[in-house]
Amino acid sequence: MGREAIFMNEYQIIELLIAYWPLVYLEIYRLLPLSSMLFNTRPQQQDDEIDSIAKILEKKLPDGSTLVDYIVMGLVNKHKTLSRLKIVDFHRCSSSIQMTKEIFRLPLLWMTPERRSSIQKRIYIEKSKLDKYIDGFNYVYQYYDKSIAHDTNFEPIKIIHDCQIINEDTLVGLEIQQLTPFRFHYHKLWINNCFRQILSPNISYDINLVLSLTNADNITHLHLSDPNMETTENELTLLVRSLSNLRNLRVLCLQRVLNLYPNR
């Protein structure tokens, strides 16, 4: 039923299907009508497949909404007694910036607008930036808020999706997840210099701030990009200490990380 609904752009059915999902495990990939929308012309490579899936998930309807929006709405409106859902797996789906932002907004979207404005004390983000972000969030989601059963307690849901620390969305989602039913689980982590830019001035740049918000043993891939990192003893020590906490790390990419010649 889900594939037919997506093929016909009847995304409201997807929202209801997810909200009342009768099984413990939901793999988003298997909801998609791949055979009819992707592979009817030629065999595709894995990267082509992921790009095509991203187009399905992020395709805008005339009202500006996307399939991801309806998936998210189904999750925040999960029926606490009729749904058995505990794991949502976005494996093989897109890890695009837009997808990441939408998924990591789940905890904040689940909260009432009033509660969103009272989370400042828990967040590492600079206060004025956080206030601006929350105000913007409430404005953008004011229409959706009318259709959400905010603060409804149900069993925690594990969200499996790669994590990119690209702006306030992902950091806020990680920091407040314990206040909500959503728990993010990821193996691949990207951190760029936006992380430094949104931190409070009194907070030292330390990727352990991110690692402390998840189970670091799950992380197998780390991509760190920050050309503003200085070769000071403090930042280098913090970096090495953070890497030493990743006991199961298999792939490490340090892209433009150390500014060896800051005066050039």
Side-chain angles (χ1 to χ4, degrees):
M1 181 175 68
R3 294 177 180 178
E4 290 81 0
I6 293 173
F7 188 77
M8 299 299 295
N9 290 335
E10 297 290 343
Y11 292 170
Q12 295 89 345
I13 296 177
I14 298 300
E15 178 183 339
L16 291 173
L17 181 64
I18 292 176
Y20 290 85
W21 192 252
L23 305 177
V24 171
Y25 181 79
L26 168 60
E27 187 176 6
I28 297 298
Y29 177 85
R30 297 191 180 278
L31 279 181
L32 306 177
L34 303 179
S35 59
S36 56
M37 300 185 75
L38 298 183
F39 308 119
N40 54 353
T41 56
R42 61 181 177 84
Q44 299 207 355
Q45 299 297 321
Q46 184 177 14
D47 289 344
D48 294 334
E49 177 184 328
I50 292 175
D51 289 341
S52 299
I53 292 172
K55 291 178 181 178
I56 296 175
L57 291 168
E58 300 175 26
K59 173 187 174 183
K60 289 188 179 296
L61 295 179
D63 64 356
S65 62
T66 65
L67 176 56
V68 178
D69 292 328
Y70 285 91
I71 292 173
V72 167
M73 289 294 288
L75 291 174
V76 294
N77 285 320
K78 175 197 170 186
H79 197 285
K80 63 180 181 180
T81 57
L82 297 181
S83 173
R84 299 176 57 213
L85 185 61
K86 293 183 180 179
I87 302 173
V88 181
D89 191 349
F90 285 88
H91 176 64
R92 298 180 70 178
C93 295
S94 168
S95 295
S96 69
I97 290 176
Q98 188 58 37
M99 271 286 294
T100 301
K101 290 165 65 175
E102 296 288 349
I103 299 305
F104 281 82
R105 288 172 183 168
L106 273 166
L108 199 60
L109 192 59
W110 177 85
M111 289 182 170
T112 63
E114 294 75 24
R115 283 191 65 198
R116 294 171 193 159
S117 302
S118 63
I119 63 173
Q120 282 85 348
K121 294 181 180 180
R122 296 177 172 269
I123 305 294
Y124 296 122
I125 299 173
E126 196 273 320
K127 185 179 185 304
S128 63
K129 293 180 180 178
L130 181 60
D131 290 342
K132 183 178 180 180
Y133 169 74
I134 296 295
D135 289 343
F137 188 97
N138 286 337
Y139 177 79
V140 170
Y141 284 95
Q142 58 182 325
Y143 171 77
Y144 293 93
D145 280 330
K146 299 175 183 178
S147 304
I148 295 175
H150 293 291
D151 288 348
T152 299
N153 290 318
F154 46 78
E155 288 191 60
I157 299 178
K158 178 191 291 185
I159 306 293
I160 302 175
H161 190 277
D162 295 337
C163 179
Q164 299 187 57
I165 307 296
I166 45 177
N167 64 358
E168 293 89 346
D169 287 308
T170 42
L171 191 56
V172 169
L174 287 173
E175 290 204 66
I176 67 172
Q177 61 180 319
Q178 295 296 331
L179 304 176
T180 77
F182 301 102
R183 303 290 183 270
F184 295 109
H185 178 100
Y186 48 88
H187 296 295
K188 297 179 181 179
L189 172 64
W190 288 265
I191 302 177
N192 64 21
N193 63 331
C194 290
F195 177 52
R196 179 190 298 274
Q197 296 170 5
I198 62 179
L199 288 176
S200 297
N202 60 329
I203 301 293
S204 298
Y205 178 83
D206 183 2
I207 64 172
N208 264 323
L209 296 176
V210 177
L211 301 183
S212 66
L213 302 174
T214 187
N215 184 351
D217 288 344
N218 291 330
I219 298 176
T220 58
H221 295 63
L222 174 64
H223 183 120
L224 181 62
S225 175
D226 185 1
N228 296 317
M229 179 174 285
E230 299 177 356
T231 54
T232 61
E233 182 178 357
N234 181 51
E235 290 209 354
L236 287 175
T237 300
L238 290 174
L239 175 60
V240 172
R241 185 180 301 162
S242 299
L243 296 177
S244 67
N245 290 331
L246 299 174
R247 295 182 295 182
N248 294 317
L249 190 67
R250 299 202 306 267
V251 177
L252 173 63
C253 177
L254 300 178
Q255 180 184 19
R256 300 178 63 203
V257 167
L258 298 179
N259 186 4
L260 297 173
Y261 305 102
N263 297 322
R264 287 189 177 182

